[in-house]
Amino acid sequence: NAGVTQTPKFQVLKTGQSMTLQCAQDMNHEYMSWYRQDPGMGLRLIHYSVGAGITDQGEVPNGYNVSRSTTEDFPLRLLSAAPSQTSVYFCASSYQGTIYFGEGSWLTVV
Amino acid sequence: GNSVTQMEGPVTLSEEAFLTINCTYTATGYPSLFWYVQYPGEGLQLLLKATKADDKGSNKGFEATYRKETTSFHLEKGSVQVSDSAVYFCALSRDSNYQLIWGAGTKLIIKP
């Protein structure tokens, strides 16, 4: 049972570099989302998607892009990494009231 | 707007003690309420949920009751174990797709 799979688990970037966090789910869920987790702030929604071809902004979208070409995949792109984007990133999918989280991606921007 | 407030941590208890982690919320209408747990180095797992007033969610010995009159969803456990050490998040959702509003999290430390 793979569930929600995120890669990479750990990444160090230099300021200005770009990268993509991958997220895939094998449960055929329509709804997927990306959160970031920062100390003392809980989780904040970055972007979400209600189905293939449809994405929308969450609470903190600046500096991030997403796309949803298939139901399974929902990658998050950092366009030009900044130290403020140092965080733990969680991908999630949801269905009928239950949210399934990936194991997280720890990103450090130096 | 919608918000969730949790008691600040860390909360430190001895094994077999009684646990309460307070959670209050602000929302219009009838949100669904959740408790998630995050063990060290891991992702978030749903612990329990309640979708309407007076519902009680329970799992692994933890319980929380949806109290609309006090806008609260406090997490309780009668006898904690060292393995319960984790960060606990309270959250609400008013969206059918379950976009969540999160509390800041409460770190729980259980000492043997």
Side-chain angles (χ1 to χ4, degrees):
Chain A
N1 293 334
V4 179
T5 303
Q6 287 181 236
T7 56
K9 193 170 179 78
F10 299 99
Q11 182 72 49
V12 178
L13 285 178
K14 294 182 179 179
T15 297
Q17 286 184 318
S18 62
M19 77 157 297
T20 299
L21 299 176
Q22 302 291 343
C23 177
Q25 53 96 3
D26 61 359
M27 297 172 283
N28 203 33
H29 292 168
E30 292 293 329
Y31 187 83
M32 296 185 72
S33 52
W34 275 101
Y35 291 89
R36 60 178 288 173
Q37 181 183 28
D38 300 294
M41 299 185 72
L43 279 79
R44 292 182 291 170
L45 182 66
I46 304 171
H47 285 285
Y48 66 96
S49 168
V50 299
I54 306 169
T55 64
D56 207 345
Q57 296 181 349
E59 182 185 356
V60 287
N62 291 341
Y64 307 95
N65 273 356
V66 292
S67 60
R68 187 89 181 273
S69 57
T70 66
T71 299
E72 294 77 21
D73 299 303
F74 190 46
L76 177 72
R77 297 184 186 84
L78 280 71
L79 308 173
S80 177
S84 61
Q85 293 179 303
T86 294
S87 189
V88 184
Y89 292 85
F90 289 97
C91 180
S93 70
S94 61
Y95 180 70
Q96 291 189 345
T98 299
I99 298 179
Y100 302 84
F101 283 91
E103 294 189 343
S105 297
W106 275 253
L107 177 66
T108 301
V109 182
V110 297
Chain B
N2 301 324
S3 66
V4 175
T5 303
Q6 289 181 237
M7 62 189 296
E8 289 189 20
V11 173
T12 304
L13 296 172
S14 298
E15 206 165 19
E16 299 183 3
F18 184 87
L19 168 71
T20 300
I21 300 178
N22 290 337
C23 172
T24 57
Y25 68 90
T26 301
T28 56
Y30 302 92
S32 294
L33 300 172
F34 304 83
W35 277 102
Y36 279 81
V37 58
Q38 184 178 30
Y39 298 102
E42 298 184 11
L44 288 86
Q45 305 172 25
L46 177 65
L47 182 58
L48 53 84
K49 68 177 183 181
T51 58
K52 60 182 186 297
D54 299 326
D55 267 2
K56 177 184 286 188
S58 61
N59 186 25
K60 299 181 181 180
F62 291 89
E63 293 183 341
T65 301
Y66 187 166
R67 302 285 189 200
K68 187 165 177 62
E69 63 275 14
T70 54
T71 62
S72 65
F73 193 55
H74 304 322
L75 183 68
E76 297 181 335
K77 186 175 185 182
S79 177
V80 292
Q81 305 301 313
V82 172
S83 58
D84 294 326
S85 298
V87 181
Y88 292 81
F89 291 91
C90 184
L92 72 81
S93 173
R94 294 195 63 249
D95 185 282
S96 60
N97 287 315
Y98 288 85
Q99 294 186 43
L100 297 183
I101 307 298
W102 296 85
T106 302
K107 184 173 184 177
L108 175 65
I109 301 170
I110 306 299
K111 295 186 174 181

